[in-house]
């Protein structure tokens, strides 16, 4: 009795691998876009949470007590060299104990301002380019 090999040939395996590589090449850029959009959405949600806490402090009249280790200057949270890094402790905001770490890029810094009692939050890149994240996203 003769045994027959019931496996795949080398050519068949190479064809399957080639098809998989083509599919990965097509789908990978789409996946990267979706991940980037999800990170933007996470930062927008964090910014909205910060804004709501600041609006509550404004309504209570306690917005002058909002502090970080950096400073409070003319109704804004920012350091002298630009924005505040994520993870910085903040006091004076109900429900917020730390400035969130940006999900878009961990090195981005937050600049939070509320002149005329309207909260504006933007992120600052390492190259000191700012883009607004709240109330409306203006990044790329």
């Amino acid at each position: 009795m003769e045994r027959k090999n019931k496996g795949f040939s080398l050519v068949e395996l190479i064809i399957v691998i080639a098809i998989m590589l083509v599919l990965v090449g097509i789908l990978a850029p789409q996946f990267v876009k979706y991940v980037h959009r999800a990170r933007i959405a996470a930062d927008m949600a964090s910014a909205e949470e910060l804004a709501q806490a600041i609006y509550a402090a404004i309504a209570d009249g306690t917005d002058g007590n909002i502090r970080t280790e950096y400073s409070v200057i003319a109704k804004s949270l920012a350091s002298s060299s630009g924005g505040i890094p994520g993870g910085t402790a903040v006091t004076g905001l109900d429900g917020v104990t730390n400035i969130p770490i940006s999900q878009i890029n961990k090195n981005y810094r937050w600049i939070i301002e509320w002149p005329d009692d309207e909260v504006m939050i933007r992120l600052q890149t390492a190259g000191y380019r700012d883009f607004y994240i709240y109330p409306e996203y203006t990044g790329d």
Side-chain angles (χ1 to χ4, degrees), residues 7-137:
F8 294 106
S9 71
L10 183 60
V11 172
E12 290 171 329
L13 288 173
I14 290 174
I15 289 172
V16 169
I17 290 171
I19 290 170
M20 290 174 60
L21 288 174
V22 167
L23 288 174
V24 167
I26 292 170
L27 297 177
Q30 295 300 319
F31 177 74
V32 169
K33 279 190 220 174
Y34 288 124
V35 169
H36 185 64
R37 287 183 193 155
R39 289 178 176 168
I40 291 170
D43 278 355
M44 289 174 67
S46 295
E48 185 171 357
E49 182 182 345
L50 275 171
Q52 295 307 319
I54 292 171
Y55 280 129
I58 291 169
D60 292 344
T62 60
D63 60 319
N65 296 328
I66 301 171
R67 298 272 183 270
T68 69
E69 65 186 78
Y70 293 94
S71 63
V72 174
I73 305 169
K75 293 190 173 187
S76 70
L77 291 175
S79 71
S80 59
S81 62
I84 301 170
T88 301
V90 62
T91 58
L93 287 176
D94 289 337
V96 178
T97 57
N98 292 311
I99 301 295
I101 296 172
S102 173
Q103 298 301 307
I104 298 171
N105 185 319
K106 308 272 187 246
N107 296 321
Y108 285 2
R109 298 165 70 93
W110 296 81
I111 299 174
I112 306 161
E113 301 173 313
W114 57 99
D116 304 325
D117 297 339
E118 181 180 346
V119 179
M120 293 176 286
I121 300 174
R122 58 189 200 263
L123 287 172
Q124 185 178 68
T125 67
Y128 296 102
R129 180 180 148 253
D130 295 354
F131 59 91
Y132 282 90
I133 194 99
Y134 181 88
E136 189 175 326
Y137 179 72

